[in-house]
Amino acid sequence: MRIVLAEPEKGGLAATWSDGTTSFWPAIWLRDQCACPQCRHPSGQRLFEIVDLPEQPQIERIAMQTDGNLRVTWKGEEHVSTYLAAFLYEHNLKTPPAAPIRLWGADLADLPEGDWPAVARDPESELRWLESYHKHGFGLLRNVPVRPGMVAEVGDRLGFVRTTNYGKLFDVISVPDPNNLANTALGLGVHSDNPYRDPTPGVQLLHCLVSDAPGGDSLLVDGFAGAEQLRQWAPEQFELLTRVPANFRFADKDADLQTRTPLISVDFEGRLTAVHFNNRSFAGIDVPVELVEPWYEAYRNFAQILKQPERELIFRLAPGDLLVMQNERALHGRTAFDANLGRRHLQGCYVDKDGLESRMRVLRRQVAKAQAAAQ
Ligand code: OGA
Ligand code: ZN
Ligand code: ZN
């Protein structure tokens, strides 16, 4: 998009884009974003502090350069700033870009999937897979070598594995006397893993090594789609779940992990940022008495929404399949399986969410650069 007009306007800079839309940036915002060599180290890091800037920077002059970028001369400062049109477009404060996510239900036709050997080898394939994972809050990788420990290798390749009291990775396998229902043959309702940790793991990986037992199909529900449904049907219940914290706990002989967090989190504009839902480790609420019944009513409704069959993706992981999920969005579960009639063995690990996002941005840069060079 090109800037066709740029002029000073009460306390800032107003611009009109080639599509007719307009933008406005307050002077202090622009002055703080100056990227000149006095303001930024070659690393890109800022060299001045906010207290070094004039409280009310004044724009003296704005000039459009032949390349379409803007030059701003500041009054009383002997300072000139250049702003790339692309940068300004990306930071259009009047109409912030919509969140690049897509809500889904059981009818999601194409699973966001990728072929691991291609993803591991080719940056463009990896980027395509990461974009799809990011949009849906989960992604499947096929043809991952069926080798114990592989899940952590993939985790370290996409981001950084976070070691917990379960180790660098953990086995999901039916064992006698387990400390966690995951290690039985019981079905598991959809949940976020480990909401009793602070922070809750951002991403969970589950790699299927063996799947011979009848049952044990995987379930996935878009927690964000469920939360939006609650917001639509019962806004006051939605609000209660964003405000009132629930307790989560996991305790065995070595650990006693406890947190207090709302089931639904939103940012300052009301956009969903996280869902924490886990029936097994939910440990009640400790809140003023008058909030208890309304909260439980909201909790029940939210749980009912998440149980609607039209929300539930059901598929079967085969050996070599690896599921990567945004743990605070894509809620996962499984149907029961019969451990007497066959084996089932998954391995899992946790990765921080920011690592995958960083990887995606780095790949976007790399791929754009390669495409520009090829032209
Ligand atoms: C888990 C889990 C699902 C499965 O271990 O956290 O939810 O398919 N497992 O066994
Ligand atoms: Zn500067
Ligand atoms: Zn789980």
Side-chain angles (χ1 to χ4, degrees), residues 182 188 191-194 204 206 278 280 325 327 332-333 350:
L188 300 174
H191 60 276
S192 1
D193 259 38
N194 299 196
Q204 182 180 12
L206 276 177
N278 190 316
R280 278 175 289 153
M325 297 157 279
N327 185 44
H332 66 285
Y350 302 116

Side-chain angles (χ1 to χ4, degrees), residues 76-134:
E77 266 205 278
E78 288 189 36
H79 206 97
V80 177
S81 309
T82 304
Y83 301 96
L84 301 182
F87 170 83
L88 293 173
Y89 192 70
E90 212 180 302
H91 296 276
N92 189 343
L93 306 183
K94 269 192 176 174
T95 43
I101 67 164
R102 174 170 158 204
L103 301 179
W104 46 266
D107 56 355
L108 177 65
D110 299 314
L111 293 181
E113 60 183 298
D115 175 56
W116 173 247
V119 167
R121 178 179 3 102
D122 167 40
E124 269 186 55
S125 303
E126 184 178 0
L127 178 59
R128 224 175 303 126
W129 181 82
L130 276 169
E131 300 269 14
S132 186
Y133 146 86
H134 194 246

Side-chain angles (χ1 to χ4, degrees), residues 145-317:
V146 182
R147 171 160 35 94
M150 195 58 207
V151 72
E153 281 182 43
V154 174
D156 274 329
R157 170 60 206 273
L158 297 173
F160 300 95
V161 171
R162 196 203 304 178
T163 302
T164 69
N165 58 311
Y166 301 140
K168 177 146 185 169
L169 57 81
F170 50 87
D171 290 289
V172 184
I173 197 162
S174 173
V175 297
D177 196 23
N179 66 351
N180 193 311
L181 287 186
N183 291 334
T184 65
L186 295 171
L188 300 174
V190 297
H191 60 276
S192 1
D193 259 38
N194 299 196
Y196 42 78
R197 288 186 204 288
D198 184 10
T200 300
V203 179
Q204 182 180 12
L205 277 66
L206 276 177
H207 182 207
C208 179
L209 296 173
V210 183
S211 180
D212 295 336
D217 289 353
S218 295
L219 312 173
L220 273 186
V221 167
D222 187 348
F224 281 13
E228 288 298 356
Q229 179 76 270
L230 182 68
R231 169 147 53 188
Q232 217 182 4
W233 283 352
E236 66 299 335
Q237 293 187 356
F238 174 89
E239 199 271 334
L240 205 55
L241 295 190
T242 64
R243 202 159 48 82
V244 177
N247 302 329
F248 290 98
R249 181 173 188 212
F250 174 84
D252 68 3
K253 68 181 204 336
D254 301 317
D256 193 340
L257 294 154
Q258 300 187 25
T259 59
R260 199 162 187 241
T261 182
L263 298 194
I264 301 174
S265 304
V266 291
D267 68 13
F268 81 108
E269 290 173 305
R271 278 196 266 205
L272 292 167
T273 54
V275 167
H276 294 115
F277 190 83
N278 190 316
N279 184 57
R280 278 175 289 153
S281 58
F282 171 57
I285 52 174
D286 292 310
V287 298
V289 173
E290 65 276 12
L291 289 176
V292 170
E293 286 184 353
W295 188 87
Y296 267 93
E297 198 183 331
Y299 180 36
R300 177 192 298 265
N301 268 339
F302 188 35
Q304 219 122 43
I305 286 172
L306 296 174
K307 266 182 177 302
Q308 292 170 315
E310 61 266 33
R311 302 206 165 277
E312 200 166 64
L313 269 183
I314 304 183
F315 53 94
R316 191 177 174 79
L317 292 177

